[in-house]
């Protein structure tokens, strides 16, 4: 989804989903990844083929090795592909929210992280990806006990010069205003659920571009309420169910550009 000049990034669609950040001039490539699928369980053998396809696409686009993985939260539609990814990148460092151990982490995710270098992050932490490229951790706060796992989602702000992107996981309306900072690009939380992306959050973020990772689902995502809220702040909206894979380019002077795999009909 996020491309720093000279590199490519892919946001996959059904049956897998992934958000990948490529830094072309950085020797130690990093990525923020939610490799998973809502339609396929973590122990379904088909996920191996889908992850292979995705990784081949990433390697073809960026020729990058994966050094770091940021997992927003343990829900299977965000962490279900973790084991398949990590066994292909055995040296990758994994970043999780500080409240990870106070969330319902399934056996598959626990097994995937066994023996790995896992770093817990909380609000105020910073991860330097390269010169002038920093990830600021906005949520969760230290010692936070989420009422449900979405509340503990890792919220990150990718900063590159004057350009910023806010990556929100599934952060809900109960706490999203507390994890808001201004950003040109917003990865819309929880696939466009009505229970996320509040008007209060949007009044702080004021995104120029909003990307919704979503496909056919039983929940009506993205909801009209969220689309109306995004329109009210003037955000241009891209949806992976309509536009396919999305590539967003951030320039250090604050400019933002994007490419999509397809143009919606009508």
């Amino acid at each position: 989804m996020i491309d720093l000049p000279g590199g490519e990034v892919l946001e996959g669609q059904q049956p897998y989903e992934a958000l990948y950040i490529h830094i072309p001039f950085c020797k130690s490539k990093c990525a923020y990844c939610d490799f998973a699928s809502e339609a396929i369980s973590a122990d379904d053998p088909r996920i191996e083929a889908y992850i292979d396809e995705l990784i081949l696409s990433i390697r073809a686009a960026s020729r990058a090795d994966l050094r770091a993985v940021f997992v927003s939260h343990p829900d299977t539609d965000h962490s279900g592909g973790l084991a398949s990814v990590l066994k292909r990148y055995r040296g990758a460092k994994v970043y999780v929210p500080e409240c990870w151990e106070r969330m319902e982490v399934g056996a598959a995710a626990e097994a995937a992280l066994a023996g790995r270098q896992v770093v817990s992050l909380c609000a105020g932490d910073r991860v330097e990806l390269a010169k002038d490229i920093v990830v600021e951790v906005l949520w969760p706060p230290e010692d936070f006990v989420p009422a449900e796992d979405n509340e503990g989602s890792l919220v990150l702000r990718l900063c590159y010069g004057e350009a910023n992107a806010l990556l929100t996981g599934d952060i809900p309306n109960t706490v999203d205003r507390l994890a808001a900072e201004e950003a040109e690009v917003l990865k819309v939380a929880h696939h466009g659920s009505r229970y996320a992306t509040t008007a209060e959050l949007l009044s702080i973020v004021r995104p120029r571009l909003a990307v919704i990772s979503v496909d056919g689902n039983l929940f009506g995502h993205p909801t009209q309420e969220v689309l109306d809220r995004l329109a009210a702040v003037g955000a241009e909206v891209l949806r992976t169910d309509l536009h396919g894979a999305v590539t967003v380019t951030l320039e250090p002077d604050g400019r933002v550009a994007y490419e999509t795999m397809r143009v919606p009909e009508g």
Side-chain angles (χ1 to χ4, degrees), residues 199-216:
E200 188 173 359
L201 173 135
L202 291 173
S203 70
I204 299 170
V205 180
R206 307 296 297 182
R208 283 186 271 156
L209 183 66
V211 181
I212 305 176
S213 177
V214 68
D215 55 20

Side-chain angles (χ1 to χ4, degrees), residues 138-149:
L138 304 183
W139 192 265
E142 189 174 7
D143 298 326
F144 181 68
V145 180
E148 44 90 21
D149 284 356

Side-chain angles (χ1 to χ4, degrees), residues 76-138:
T76 55
D77 63 325
H78 291 256
S79 67
L82 190 57
S84 297
V85 172
L86 292 181
K87 77 178 184 181
R88 291 163 173 80
Y89 297 99
R90 299 191 181 278
K93 181 185 295 186
V94 182
Y95 294 88
V96 299
E98 189 270 343
C99 55
W100 183 265
E101 294 185 357
R102 296 183 289 279
M103 303 165 96
E104 295 183 11
V105 181
E110 287 184 346
L113 296 180
R116 290 279 176 178
Q117 184 178 5
V118 179
V119 178
S120 297
L121 298 174
C122 63
D125 288 339
R126 291 164 58 90
V127 180
E128 184 174 330
L129 302 184
K131 183 180 179 180
D132 301 325
I133 302 174
V134 174
V135 169
E136 299 176 345
V137 182
L138 304 183

Side-chain angles (χ1 to χ4, degrees), residues 171-192:
I171 196 77
N173 56 12
T174 51
V175 295
D176 69 355
R177 68 194 180 281
L178 303 176
E181 292 284 352
E182 185 175 355
E184 284 70 35
V185 180
L186 172 67
K187 198 288 288 184
V188 175
H190 205 171
H191 321 288

Side-chain angles (χ1 to χ4, degrees), residues 29-263:
K29 304 292 193 271
C30 293
Y32 170 102
C33 300
D34 276 336
F35 284 96
S37 169
E38 292 189 88
I40 303 173
S41 64
D43 58 357
D44 191 312
R46 291 177 296 166
I47 200 169
E48 295 293 330
Y50 298 135
I51 295 294
D52 277 340
E53 180 183 350
L54 178 61
I55 288 174
L56 285 172
S57 298
I58 289 173
R59 285 176 172 167
S62 66
R63 299 181 180 87
D65 196 9
L66 200 65
R67 300 298 187 193
V69 176
F70 294 76
V71 185
S72 62
H73 62 302
D75 282 6
T76 55
D77 63 325
H78 291 256
S79 67
L82 190 57
S84 297
V85 172
L86 292 181
K87 77 178 184 181
R88 291 163 173 80
Y89 297 99
R90 299 191 181 278
K93 181 185 295 186
V94 182
Y95 294 88
V96 299
E98 189 270 343
C99 55
W100 183 265
E101 294 185 357
R102 296 183 289 279
M103 303 165 96
E104 295 183 11
V105 181
E110 287 184 346
L113 296 180
R116 290 279 176 178
Q117 184 178 5
V118 179
V119 178
S120 297
L121 298 174
C122 63
D125 288 339
R126 291 164 58 90
V127 180
E128 184 174 330
L129 302 184
K131 183 180 179 180
D132 301 325
I133 302 174
V134 174
V135 169
E136 299 176 345
V137 182
L138 304 183
W139 192 265
E142 189 174 7
D143 298 326
F144 181 68
V145 180
E148 44 90 21
D149 284 356
N150 288 344
E151 275 196 354
S153 288
L154 195 61
V155 178
L156 306 175
R157 186 173 182 247
L158 176 67
C159 305
Y160 178 46
E162 297 180 12
N164 303 285
L166 190 65
L167 311 174
T168 57
D170 277 354
I171 196 77
N173 56 12
T174 51
V175 295
D176 69 355
R177 68 194 180 281
L178 303 176
E181 292 284 352
E182 185 175 355
E184 284 70 35
V185 180
L186 172 67
K187 198 288 288 184
V188 175
H190 205 171
H191 321 288
S193 165
R194 72 182 63 186
Y195 302 112
T197 316
T198 60
E200 188 173 359
L201 173 135
L202 291 173
S203 70
I204 299 170
V205 180
R206 307 296 297 182
R208 283 186 271 156
L209 183 66
V211 181
I212 305 176
S213 177
V214 68
D215 55 20
N217 61 87
L218 301 177
F219 306 102
H221 298 162
T223 60
Q224 191 60 49
E225 293 98 318
V226 168
L227 295 175
D228 289 345
R229 290 175 209 153
L230 291 167
V233 296
E236 183 174 3
V237 176
L238 301 177
R239 299 168 43 171
T240 57
D241 60 338
L242 301 180
H243 297 90
V246 175
T247 300
V248 178
T249 299
L250 301 182
E251 298 285 357
D253 61 4
R255 287 179 295 158
V256 174
Y258 67 81
E259 295 180 3
T260 63
M261 189 174 69
R262 60 175 180 263
V263 177

